[in-house]
Amino acid sequence: MAESAKARRSGRRNPLFSNLDLFLFTLIAGLIIYWFMSRKKAEPIPEFKKAPSTQETSFIEKMKKTGRNIVVFYGSQTGTGEEFANRLSKDAQRYGMKGMAADPEEYDMSELSRLAEIGNSLAIFCMATYGEGDPTDNAQDFYDWLQETDGQLDGVNYTVFALGNKTYEHYNAMGAYVDKRLEELGAKRVFDLGMGDDDGNLEEDFVTWREQFWPAMCEHFGVEASGEDSSVRQYELKEHNDINMNKVYTGELGRLKSFETQKPPFDAKNPFLAPVTVNRKLNKAGDRHLMHLEVDITGSKIRYESGDHVAVYPTNDTVIVNRLGQILGVDLDSVISLNNLDEESNKKHPFPCPTTYRTALTHYLDIIHPPRTNVLYELAQYATDLKDQENMRKMASSAPEGKALYQSFVLEDNRNILAILEDLPSLRPPIDHLCELMPRLQARYYSIASSSKVHPNSIHICAVLVEYTTKTGRLTKGVATTWLKNKLVADNAHKSTVPMYIRKSQFRLPFKASNPVIMVGPGTGIAPFMGFIQERGWLKEQGKEVGETVLYCGCRHKEEDYLYQEELEEAEKTGVITKLNVAFSRDQEQKVYVQHLLRTNKVDLWRQIHTDNAHIYICGDARNMARDVQTAFYEIAEELGGMTRTQATDYIKKLMTKGRYSQDVWS
């Protein structure tokens, strides 16, 4: 009141807004402007996806449009089937034909009946078998169509090359099925089914089949080889000297910058970068390194079940990458694209482009496995020593001398591309051609060693480091296991991450928890059973009736490499594991393996299987262990079931058919 009187006496009026009002007004206006500006989303990075409308789904129309008469379909899980398909497609040129490699997932396979519309046409199928006689992921729809269709394929010429591994129960099942089913539908087999065995020498099997196949095709179609056996480039090099580095791939498999801005769903083309939270050595002593890793999937929306596989994308050793750059005298940080010379091809680049040579050799290309014969053949032209040229071409032939040379120099000596370049100093190919020929670096699959019921936000991996010295004295390290070993847990903001996704499996616990389970998993084969044991324990805690849970596992020495000893003994103590049977193979003069323990417990086993409807699970080595374990089950069925070997074999096969004998094996 006094203040107002004073103001009136001085002849001044009060201002409409005080300084405080003006300050607050400015602050509020600023906040409103900031809020509106912040609502504008950052401009998204383009995803460079192929527009669905522009991709031709009719392989027939594409063949007609581009003058092709041979289509090579591939069912491929690890890239080998695709690689063989590309080689056959390129071969066609030597015979005055035009071929195209095709992923059946990308095309309408019901159009196969229309192939007869194209003169002198042929469909070749390079079909790999995955898991327990299953089709590969990209051939699943084609397999389903073959099973369901009753369409007629009269006039369709075909042949099949199957890729498999003899150590597996269902050797080349997919290739054999496609070969048989196409004939049933009326197609004409123009060359015998080829059987490739990865347990032996898959490359030799393929080369031998291929060299018999093409002369037979020449005779069938009445054409002659052009005699041109020279290298044909599929991609051309483009160097980017001035490019925005935000448009350069740095290891992503699909969408550019997908490792920086992660978006579900996560799959083979869009893996999740899972931080490593645990990486510990499992063995107490010995010269091996067995490891247990845990990766965090919080917030990823990834779901998994016990028995599933986790796929991880490793990277190559930087020492090898740098040495390749040094030996070829190139700047590995040059930004390049390899563009398909065939503009109609769905496959525009052999790997994500544009990128650097360093990224390609680190993330995208398999530079560790011994190269296949076609790589040696194509690179031979760059050897300045004529003897080197001759030997490289000889190794790519099916001549006995050439096969023997490839077997000894490449396979037995385990030479990768770097070792070949080091041992053939006259061979210095252009790095872009080398990158074009190298197969893609593939994801590695591991049986998940945890249960999502107990660890919903974590996936556990159990692995053994692969490391050995070759005949040439070189230390060879497994790509994925070396990479995993070096994934150290960091306390700071920079966490070690693993690009991963889940591959669903049929390796499942019984629907009824009251069914007994018999698990056989020596060495790292114990991995999925750690998840099974966790889940059975969780079910017990929920008050469910849980049947007998019996484990047979094994290691070399109890005091050295008894994997998960504390966890297993605790599970037995609490009754989660009904009986723990561990074979310590080298703790006594005579080796003891899991199959010996099975025979020791044959009475209990037969009761569990024959009377109590037990489910049997085998995980680990396919070449010896899985076979020996199966033989032990045959013998138990013979002895305690009073069966002949044929009856016992049929008995176990029926268990497999019913889903009561499951295998998760590798070789």
Side-chain angles (χ1 to χ4, degrees), residues 535-562:
E535 190 143 327
R536 300 280 273 189
W538 179 84
L539 287 165
K540 275 180 99 91
E541 285 174 8
Q542 304 305 304
K544 297 276 194 308
E545 184 194 341
V546 177
E548 290 177 83
T549 303
V550 182
L551 176 66
Y552 290 85
C553 59
C555 55
R556 294 177 182 178
H557 303 283
K558 184 175 183 178
E559 299 307 321
E560 277 188 14
D561 56 358
Y562 184 176

Side-chain angles (χ1 to χ4, degrees), residues 239-276:
E239 294 176 326
H240 303 278
N241 298 318
D242 184 19
I243 189 170
N244 179 349
M245 292 307 284
N246 281 326
K247 293 182 178 176
V248 176
Y249 282 87
T250 57
E252 306 95 325
L253 292 143
R255 179 173 56 87
L256 192 66
K257 301 294 176 191
S258 61
F259 286 168
E260 290 177 24
T261 53
Q262 293 255 278
K263 296 175 188 173
F266 296 104
D267 54 28
K269 286 282 195 274
N270 182 37
F272 176 65
L273 290 183
V276 177

Side-chain angles (χ1 to χ4, degrees), residues 166-439:
K166 259 189 184 152
T167 59
Y168 287 76
E169 179 76 26
H170 305 278
Y171 173 54
N172 274 333
M174 182 60 184
Y177 173 75
V178 170
D179 181 62
K180 175 171 161 283
R181 185 66 179 135
L182 290 173
E183 185 181 44
E184 288 172 355
L185 293 170
K188 182 182 179 185
R189 183 190 297 107
V190 293
F191 193 70
D192 291 339
L193 167 68
M195 299 285 266
D197 178 19
D198 201 27
D199 186 49
N201 185 336
L202 182 60
E203 176 68 15
E204 185 179 312
D205 294 338
F206 175 68
V207 169
T208 303
W209 178 85
R210 171 178 164 244
E211 295 217 353
Q212 293 167 355
F213 163 72
W214 281 115
M217 284 310 94
C218 286
E219 192 177 335
H220 181 82
F221 291 121
V223 295
E224 288 182 19
S226 64
E228 290 177 21
D229 235 8
S230 58
S231 167
V232 180
R233 290 293 299 265
Q234 195 176 346
Y235 298 92
E236 66 176 350
L237 172 68
K238 178 174 173 56
E239 294 176 326
H240 303 278
N241 298 318
D242 184 19
I243 189 170
N244 179 349
M245 292 307 284
N246 281 326
K247 293 182 178 176
V248 176
Y249 282 87
T250 57
E252 306 95 325
L253 292 143
R255 179 173 56 87
L256 192 66
K257 301 294 176 191
S258 61
F259 286 168
E260 290 177 24
T261 53
Q262 293 255 278
K263 296 175 188 173
F266 296 104
D267 54 28
K269 286 282 195 274
N270 182 37
F272 176 65
L273 290 183
V276 177
T277 55
V278 174
N279 187 348
R280 63 184 170 94
K281 189 176 179 181
L282 284 170
N283 50 318
K284 304 183 193 85
D287 55 3
R288 297 190 303 160
H289 183 95
L290 294 124
M291 55 193 138
H292 171 87
L293 288 93
E294 297 178 17
V295 297
D296 186 4
I297 54 169
T298 304
S300 66
K301 298 185 179 174
I302 288 173
R303 300 286 176 265
Y304 74 95
E305 292 181 63
S306 303
D308 283 343
H309 298 133
V310 57
V312 301
Y313 285 102
T315 56
N316 288 310
D317 188 337
T318 53
V319 173
I320 294 173
V321 172
N322 289 335
R323 178 72 181 130
L324 275 171
Q326 180 190 10
I327 213 166
L328 294 174
V330 295
D331 175 8
L332 291 176
D333 296 311
S334 305
V335 180
I336 57 107
S337 288
L338 287 179
N339 301 324
N340 202 322
L341 290 161
D342 176 5
E343 292 179 2
E344 297 295 328
S345 174
N346 285 356
K347 190 174 182 180
K348 301 301 180 192
H349 317 283
F351 44 78
C353 291
T355 190
T356 64
Y357 286 124
R358 185 182 305 283
T359 298
L361 293 170
T362 304
H363 292 267
Y364 299 138
L365 299 173
D366 182 351
I367 56 175
I368 299 302
H369 277 107
R372 298 198 184 277
T373 57
N374 67 304
V375 176
L376 302 179
Y377 183 86
E378 298 249 357
L379 295 182
Q381 62 185 307
Y382 301 112
T384 53
D385 184 324
L386 293 180
K387 187 68 181 166
D388 289 346
Q389 257 195 47
E390 184 190 335
N391 282 334
M392 289 175 76
R393 290 202 169 108
K394 193 185 288 178
M395 284 190 275
S397 77
S398 61
E401 190 188 348
K403 285 180 179 179
L405 185 59
Y406 179 74
Q407 181 70 29
S408 61
F409 183 77
V410 178
L411 298 182
E412 288 173 11
D413 289 353
N414 207 48
R415 281 182 171 88
N416 59 28
I417 192 63
L418 175 60
I420 286 169
L421 292 172
E422 287 175 340
D423 293 347
L424 300 179
S426 91
L427 178 64
R428 292 297 178 264
I431 191 169
D432 61 292
H433 199 177
L434 185 80
C435 288
E436 174 179 323
L437 294 170
M438 289 288 98

Side-chain angles (χ1 to χ4, degrees), residues 143-188:
Y143 175 73
D144 293 342
W145 174 77
L146 278 176
Q147 286 193 307
E148 292 160 13
T149 188
D150 53 6
Q152 289 302 300
L153 299 181
D154 298 339
V156 173
N157 297 314
Y158 81 93
T159 188
V160 179
F161 184 81
L163 298 85
N165 187 309
K166 259 189 184 152
T167 59
Y168 287 76
E169 179 76 26
H170 305 278
Y171 173 54
N172 274 333
M174 182 60 184
Y177 173 75
V178 170
D179 181 62
K180 175 171 161 283
R181 185 66 179 135
L182 290 173
E183 185 181 44
E184 288 172 355
L185 293 170
K188 182 182 179 185

